[in-house]
């Protein structure tokens, strides 16, 4: 009999990828029946899941009562929290993660896969203080590890999808384009095609849960420096894309006030310590070899989702 897999964020990039991967995989689709969790059943994405035969349930990690129904009868849970950049970021997200874990244990769930990140504040020994969006996920991971439930962890790298939005190139005013940032051009980002590849990592855990119990997947196709990123963008677009290093204060001035300090410390963390900390290279290399299926390169992503470069 198929085991029930409850997927939070089923209409988002991570959860949606997990749902699509499982229901389309010849083996996992027999082993697991999928329940997708969303906060809004009227969303087109939620209705699209229903048309694919997925059970879609309304629940919210901020509403403990709704989590009971979400977890009922589930064997395995994929959990993801929502980051909102405000003064309650850490308090809210920590409560969400703990509530999901507590509800899973109470419902008798056997296995919890959580979307985590590194404890950057701890690793930097307090030097970087505005990394709540990283640290809180690590704290939730620590909490899950103390609970009477088997677990594994998925730590996504930097989303390739961001290059189609706020991290994308901008016109330089001379017919070329640039990505402007304060970090050194050799700074490396672990890039992941979140939509197409999250399921390949989580699918590997679902296929061999005992093998990966307690493990963290540092999920990225590979590391790309900013110099390599703009070179790849130039080749893919046929346009000239350069990297421009700005003074930190200039770059900060372009950011929304509510997220500026978080983003500054995040990129200082990536530049000075590595996205997953000092062993980032080794972690990414090991994890990429565990994925179930070919991972998407940046070149392939930009072919599939071309940059919208306008003068």
């Amino acid at each position: 009999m198929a085991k029930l897999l409850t997927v939070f964020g089923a209409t988002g990039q991570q959860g949606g990828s997990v749902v699509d991967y499982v229901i389309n995989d010849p083996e996992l689709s027999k082993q697991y029946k999928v329940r997708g969790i969303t906060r809004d059943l009227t969303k087109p994405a939620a209705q699209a899941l229903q048309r694919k035969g997925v059970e879609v349930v309304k629940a919210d990690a901020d509403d403990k009562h709704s989590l009971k129904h979400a977890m009922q009868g589930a064997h395995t849970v994929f959990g993801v929290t929502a980051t909102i950049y405000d003064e309650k970021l850490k308090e809210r997200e920590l409560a969400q993660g703990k509530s999901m874990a507590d509800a899973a244990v109470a419902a008798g769930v056997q296995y919890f896969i959580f979307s985590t990140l590194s404890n950057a504040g701890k690793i930097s020994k307090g030097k970087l203080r505005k990394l709540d969006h990283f640290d809180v996920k690590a704290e939730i991971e620590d909490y899950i590890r103390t609970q009477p439930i088997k677990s594994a962890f998925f730590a996504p790298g930097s989303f390739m999808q961001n290059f189609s939005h706020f991290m994308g190139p901008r016109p330089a005013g001379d017919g070329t384009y640039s990505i402007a940032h304060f970090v050194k051009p050799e700074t490396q980002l672990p890039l992941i095609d979140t939509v197409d590849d999250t399921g390949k990592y989580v699918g590997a855990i679902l296929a061999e849960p005992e093998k990966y119990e307690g493990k963290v997947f540092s999920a990225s196709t590979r590391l790309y420096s900013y110099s390599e990123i703009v070179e790849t963008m130039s080749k893919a677009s046929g346009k000239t894309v350069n990297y421009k290093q700005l003074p930190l204060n200039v770059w900060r001035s372009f950011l929304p006030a509510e997220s500026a300090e978080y983003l500054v410390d995040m990129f200082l963390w990536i530049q000075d310590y590595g996205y997953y900390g000092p062993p980032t290279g080794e972690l990414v290399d090991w994890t990429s070899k565990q994925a179930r299926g070919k991972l998407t390169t940046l070149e392939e992503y930009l072919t599939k989702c071309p940059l919208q470069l306008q003068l």
Side-chain angles (χ1 to χ4, degrees):
M1 183 176 176
K3 295 172 286 191
L4 180 60
L5 168 66
T6 288
V7 179
F8 283 83
T11 58
Q13 293 186 29
Q14 295 182 55
S17 181
V18 173
V19 170
D20 284 343
Y21 187 85
V22 172
I23 65 175
N24 289 300
D25 184 85
E27 296 177 15
L28 294 180
S29 61
K30 295 177 182 177
Q31 296 178 32
Y32 294 93
K33 176 186 176 184
V34 178
R35 172 187 290 159
I37 305 302
T38 181
R39 287 175 291 181
D40 184 0
L41 295 174
T42 66
K43 291 171 64 172
Q47 295 171 357
L49 287 178
Q50 291 176 325
R51 289 193 293 272
K52 293 177 182 178
V54 175
E55 177 194 7
V56 182
V57 170
K58 181 178 180 180
D60 190 330
D62 292 321
D63 177 0
K64 292 183 180 181
H65 181 73
S66 72
L67 293 177
K68 294 180 182 179
H69 183 44
M71 303 289 187
Q72 186 177 7
H75 176 277
T76 301
V77 169
F78 174 76
V80 59
T81 50
T83 298
I84 300 173
Y85 293 102
D86 61 18
E87 68 282 355
K88 293 185 177 181
L89 185 158
K90 188 172 185 178
E91 175 188 346
R92 178 194 306 109
E93 205 163 332
L94 186 61
Q96 288 178 353
K98 286 186 172 182
S99 292
M100 281 193 288
D102 292 345
V105 171
V109 172
Q110 298 298 301
Y111 206 102
F112 197 112
I113 304 170
F114 178 69
S115 179
T116 189
L117 282 174
S118 304
N119 195 322
K122 184 176 181 179
I123 295 171
S124 72
K125 298 181 179 179
K127 180 179 178 181
L128 300 173
R129 298 178 179 276
K130 294 295 287 186
L131 282 163
D132 290 347
H133 52 310
F134 270 61
D135 299 348
V136 69
K137 295 175 179 64
E139 290 184 27
I140 295 167
E141 174 189 332
D142 290 343
Y143 180 77
I144 293 169
R145 289 181 183 275
T146 69
Q147 300 304 299
I149 188 171
K150 295 179 180 179
S151 58
F153 303 90
F154 167 75
S158 184
F159 297 3
M160 292 183 189
Q161 280 72 15
N162 290 339
F163 291 126
S164 300
H165 304 290
F166 67 94
M167 285 177 59
R170 299 289 186 267
D174 59 0
T176 67
Y177 300 82
S178 65
I179 288 182
H181 215 302
F182 76 86
V183 296
K184 300 171 185 176
E186 60 267 27
T187 299
Q188 294 183 315
L189 293 179
L191 297 181
I192 177 175
D193 179 349
T194 322
V195 172
D196 278 1
D197 288 356
T198 296
K200 298 172 187 176
Y201 294 103
V202 177
I205 299 171
L206 292 171
E208 299 182 272
E210 300 303 321
K211 176 180 179 180
Y212 294 115
E213 183 184 351
K215 298 290 194 295
V216 178
F217 275 22
S218 302
S220 156
T221 301
R222 68 174 180 85
L223 294 170
Y224 290 82
S225 70
Y226 270 103
S227 296
E228 188 176 4
I229 288 168
V230 296
E231 180 182 352
T232 303
M233 289 178 171
S234 296
K235 291 179 180 178
S237 66
K239 308 287 186 180
T240 300
V241 182
N242 297 306
Y243 182 76
K244 183 178 181 181
Q245 188 173 3
L246 299 175
L248 190 155
N249 287 340
V250 173
W251 186 79
R252 188 204 316 259
S253 70
F254 298 133
L255 303 176
E258 63 272 13
S259 61
E261 295 306 317
Y262 293 108
L263 295 177
V264 166
D265 271 13
M266 181 179 75
F267 281 102
L268 284 172
W269 160 252
I270 295 169
Q271 173 185 259
D272 296 343
Y273 297 87
Y275 187 95
Y276 297 110
T280 289
E282 294 88 340
L283 295 173
V284 167
D285 182 62
W286 177 82
T287 301
S288 67
K289 294 173 182 175
Q290 314 309 311
R292 211 163 180 263
K294 183 186 179 303
L295 299 173
T296 307
T297 65
L298 180 58
E299 294 87 345
E300 290 166 343
Y301 175 78
L302 293 174
T303 298
K304 178 178 61 177
C305 301
L307 296 169
Q308 300 300 312
L309 300 179
Q310 299 177 354
L311 293 173

